[in-house]
Structures are given as structure tokens and as C-alpha cells.
Amino acid sequence: GNLYAYGNDSPAVLRDVNGLYSEPGHYYSTYVAALMAGFSPEVAYKTAFYSQMPDEVLELDAYTAGSTVLANSTKIFTAQKEHRELTSQERSEIEKNWNLAQIVERGGHALTGGPAEEERTRRAAIVAGLTPGTPAHGTAVHALEDSFSHEIPGTGRMFVAPIGHGLMQTTPDEISKRPELWEKSFRALLATFRKQAGPNAPSPVTDAEVEDFITQVKGVKPLEHGFDNPKGQIDIMKNW
């Protein structure tokens, strides 16, 4: 079948308006790593599709969850300004949204505030224990990739919910801004997938081809004014 049919022949049309790791860092990186590891095209496609899903479905999206929590702060401020207590309904809604944000952002996007290396080890173990091609496996892959892109620069720790990396806007998620983290993410994903594929899986790629692919993706330069260049990254990944 058409592996890109869900995005009208290119998942790039589903460009992540929230500025998350988006298609190069999730869908395409996952798809290429899965094929390189020896997954069948069908399983590779499903894994990639589900790995992209948390940034496309509002109920799973970190930006949406965090924005809801921040909007609740306005309700609290308004109540204080009016010298009144929150109603029971307001309290219930604020608590529900806070808890949901923790589940979505911490669980689905690795925004835990903890040590980055520990987070990556934990996420890789979760992926390894799930069946490739299933929704659970794909969404766990998303979180594994986010455990690299959602590291606070220079600290070795993860951004934390509900703000995440909002104060830095999209920079942490742009491959061209931190290509070394994307490389670590891709290598970790490929290693995990290879273990899942097993020793008898076909090996459609040589080590030299893997290195060449990584070099090409890292070599994509930002666009004018420093904007990330996802199309350039996608072109390389689609032509692999």
C-alpha cells in the first residue's frame, strides 16, 4: 500500500503546528530505523504512524495539555482578583486538567524533569517490551525520541510539565539546532529495533549506509533566519 497515504502522499502536510519534533524526528526517523532494523514494510509503517500520533491527536498532545493547565491559572487569578473562592466545579476541572497534563506530558512526551540518561534507559526498556506495529509500541517510541529532544540544553535533565520547553519555543525540537541529539535518538531507536527484530531478521543496510544516512540528515542546514529545515530532512529520509 501507499505508506504516505494518511497524509495525502506526504505526512509533511500534517506539519506540527505546535512546533514539536514533528515528522522528521518522529514519523520518518522511526520508519527508516524500522526498515534498517529488518522490520517488514507494513510493521515499519505502522510503527512510524503510531509514533507520530501523539503530536497529531489533541488528546495526546503535550502543547494542548500544557495550554489547558496555563488557562486554568487565569481562572485562579480571576477568583483571587474577585476576592472569592473557586467553585467546586472550577476546582474539579482544574484538578482534572492538571492530572491529565501530567499523564500526557510526563507519560507521553518524557517531560519529567528527571535525569535525561535515566529517562532514555527507561523509555528504551518500555519500547523493547512491546510488540512492534501496535499503537502502544509506536506511542512508546514517540516518548523514547522525546527523551532526547526534550533534554534541557546543557543540564542533562528533561524539561518538565506543564510548561515543557515553551519558554524556548520550538528550538529544542528542531533537528538542525541540535543534530547530535537527533543522532543519539536515531542510534538508540535503531539499536532497540534491531534487538526486537532478532538475529534472523534480514539486514537491508550496511553499517556504512547507516553512517552515511546519519551524516546526510545532520548536514541539512537551517533555512534563512535560522528556521529549521524539515523538508530537507524529509527529502533525505524519503529517498533512503
Side-chain angles (χ1 to χ4, degrees):
N2 182 356
L3 298 180
Y4 307 114
Y6 85 94
N8 292 329
D9 291 327
S10 174
V13 301
L14 294 180
R15 181 72 173 91
D16 178 17
V17 296
N18 298 324
L20 304 177
Y21 215 0
S22 83
E23 285 74 20
H26 288 302
Y27 180 91
Y28 286 103
S29 290
T30 301
Y31 184 57
V32 173
L35 289 177
M36 286 183 172
F39 286 8
S40 71
E42 180 181 1
V43 172
Y45 159 66
K46 289 181 178 179
T47 302
F49 181 89
Y50 292 129
S51 77
Q52 183 63 38
M53 193 166 62
D55 282 351
E56 307 295 347
V57 179
L58 290 180
E59 289 82 358
L60 304 177
D61 176 46
Y63 179 88
T64 302
S67 297
T68 301
V69 170
L70 294 179
N72 286 336
S73 66
T74 302
K75 296 180 180 180
I76 297 173
F77 175 77
T78 299
Q80 292 175 337
K81 188 176 180 180
E82 295 173 349
H83 303 289
R84 66 175 179 83
E85 293 187 359
L86 292 168
T87 66
S88 59
Q89 181 178 353
E90 287 173 329
R91 289 180 183 277
S92 177
E93 182 179 356
I94 289 171
E95 182 179 1
K96 181 186 71 174
N97 290 335
W98 174 266
N99 291 335
L100 179 61
Q102 301 308 304
I103 293 171
V104 170
E105 295 189 64
R106 289 176 179 269
H109 299 269
L111 294 168
T112 63
E117 290 300 329
E118 292 182 10
E119 187 70 20
R120 290 161 190 164
T121 299
R122 185 170 72 88
R123 296 292 179 171
I126 292 173
V127 172
L130 297 169
T131 302
T134 62
H137 180 263
T139 53
V141 166
H142 182 103
L144 172 59
E145 292 164 333
D146 277 355
S147 71
F148 290 87
S149 63
H150 289 171
E151 176 186 339
I152 303 173
T155 67
R157 301 189 70 85
M158 306 303 302
F159 285 100
V160 65
I163 302 298
H165 56 79
L167 298 179
M168 295 186 66
Q169 299 183 350
T170 65
T171 298
D173 284 326
E174 296 175 2
I175 292 177
S176 63
K177 300 293 179 61
R178 301 200 293 177
E180 72 287 347
L181 277 183
W182 171 82
E183 178 182 355
K184 289 181 180 179
S185 171
F186 185 80
R187 291 186 186 279
L189 195 61
L190 180 57
T192 302
F193 284 173
R194 279 176 165 168
K195 290 179 181 178
Q196 290 189 299
N200 296 323
S203 181
V205 63
T206 66
D207 289 344
E209 288 173 323
V210 172
E211 297 305 317
D212 181 62
F213 170 77
I214 290 172
T215 298
Q216 287 187 53
V217 174
K218 290 177 64 179
V220 175
K221 302 300 182 184
L223 299 172
E224 189 177 358
H225 305 303
F227 290 108
D228 196 26
N229 187 1
K231 184 180 184 303
Q233 297 150 2
I234 288 173
D235 287 344
I236 292 171
M237 294 176 181
K238 286 184 70 173
N239 290 329
W240 178 78

